[in-house]
Amino acid sequence: NDEEARDLTEILSNELSKMAEKLTNKKIDRDFKILLVGLGNSSITADAVGPLVSEKITVTRHMKDYDERLFDLMRCCEVSSIRPGVLGQTGIESATIVRSAASEVNADAVVAVDALVAGSVERLASTIQISDTGIEPGSGIGNVRTSISKETVNIPVISVGVPTVVSSSTLVWDALCLAHADISCLEKNLKTVLDNGRSFFVSPKESDIVSERMSDIIADAFEGAFGVGSVLD
C-alpha cells in the first residue's frame, strides 16, 4: 500500500545517503557528484526496472553550469544519469560505458539499478537489495558480463536490485521444500538435474506493475538522497 511504499522509500533513501558518504568519505552537498545507471533492457518488462528509474529522476548536473544561482536554490547534488542498454543492443560492455561516463562527469560514486533473479520464490518482487560491492549484469541468468564495481569503474559503486524473475529450478526446489519432501538423500543429484542448463525463467503476470511500482520507489528514494531538496544545509 501507499504507506508501506513511503516507509520503504524513506528507509532506502537514508541507506543510500549513508552508504554514499561512507564509501566516498565525503559529505553529500552541492558539490557531490552522483551518477545513476539504469541497467537492463527497457524492451523487456521484467528487465526494465533500471531504465525506468533513470527516466524518473531529475538530472541536475547541467544546471550548475547553466545557472549556478538556480542550482543553489534547487538544494541538490550534481546528478547525472545514463541508460547503457545491454551488450546485444550496443556491442559495448556496460562497465565500459559506465566507466567512461563516470570519468567524464568526475562522479564521486555510481548508483547502479538493475533487475535480479530471485534466489527463492518468497523474494520475487517483494524485496529491494542494496550492496556496496557492485553488480555483475546478466549473472543471474548465466550471461555473465564484466562487473560494474569499484575495481572496474574506479569509484565506489552502490547497486540496487529488484528480483523480478525466478528460475524454473528454484520453483521446483522451493515447491519440494514446501511440500516437506524428503530430498536430503538426493539433494546433490537433484540440484544437478535442476540446474542442467535447461531451466527457464518466470516472471509474475503483473511484471509490468512490479517494474513500474518498484522503479517509483527507487527513483523517489534516490531523489530523497541526492535530488532536488536533498541538500538542506
Side-chain angles (χ1 to χ4, degrees):
N1 58 42
D2 290 342
E3 184 176 350
E4 290 177 337
R6 285 193 295 271
D7 290 342
L8 179 56
T9 298
E10 184 176 352
I11 292 170
L12 181 58
S13 181
N14 289 335
E15 289 301 317
L16 285 172
S17 57
K18 287 191 296 184
M19 190 175 289
E21 290 188 335
K22 181 178 179 180
L23 292 174
T24 62
N25 198 30
K26 293 182 178 181
K27 179 179 173 57
I28 295 177
D29 56 20
R30 69 183 300 279
D31 295 319
F32 192 87
K33 304 174 183 67
I34 193 81
L35 173 65
L36 186 283
V37 179
L39 297 169
N41 189 341
S42 59
S43 299
I44 300 175
T45 305
D47 197 28
V49 174
L52 283 172
V53 172
S54 182
E55 288 178 5
K56 293 175 180 180
I57 67 165
T58 302
V59 294
T60 61
R61 175 178 174 270
H62 61 300
M63 295 301 298
K64 196 170 188 180
D65 292 331
Y66 178 73
D67 188 332
E68 192 161 347
R69 181 174 175 276
L70 176 59
F71 180 82
D72 287 338
L73 291 174
M74 293 168 69
R75 300 161 76 186
C76 59
C77 304
E78 290 187 36
V79 177
S80 306
S81 176
I82 59 170
R83 281 168 270 170
V86 294
L87 185 65
Q89 295 172 322
T90 65
I92 307 171
E93 288 277 4
S94 294
T96 301
I97 298 174
V98 175
R99 182 172 60 248
S100 298
S103 175
E104 179 65 26
V105 302
N106 195 27
D108 293 305
V110 167
V111 173
V113 183
D114 200 4
L116 306 176
V117 176
S120 69
V121 177
E122 289 183 352
R123 300 181 71 83
L124 182 62
S126 63
T127 60
I128 296 177
Q129 299 172 209
I130 182 170
S131 170
D132 63 357
T133 57
I135 192 168
E136 292 184 355
S139 60
I141 58 173
N143 186 25
V144 183
R145 305 258 57 90
T146 303
S147 67
I148 298 173
S149 62
K150 185 175 182 179
E151 289 70 31
T152 59
V153 181
N154 302 320
I155 57 173
V157 175
I158 300 170
S159 62
V160 182
V162 178
T164 58
V165 297
V166 64
S167 70
S168 56
S169 59
T170 298
L171 284 172
V172 173
W173 184 262
D174 282 3
L176 290 172
C177 292
L178 287 171
H180 303 292
D182 184 10
I183 56 176
S184 57
C185 59
L186 69 161
E187 182 171 340
K188 182 178 180 180
N189 290 334
L190 182 57
K191 290 289 284 183
T192 300
V193 171
L194 292 176
D195 296 329
N196 66 356
R198 298 177 184 172
S199 66
F200 51 89
F201 296 89
V202 181
S203 64
K205 62 181 180 181
E206 310 89 353
S207 61
D208 55 338
I209 299 173
V210 170
S211 294
E212 193 69 41
R213 189 62 168 156
M214 286 298 196
S215 64
D216 283 340
I217 291 172
I218 297 171
D220 288 346
F222 180 89
E223 293 281 40
F226 309 105
V228 176
S230 62
V231 179
L232 303 179
D233 293 334

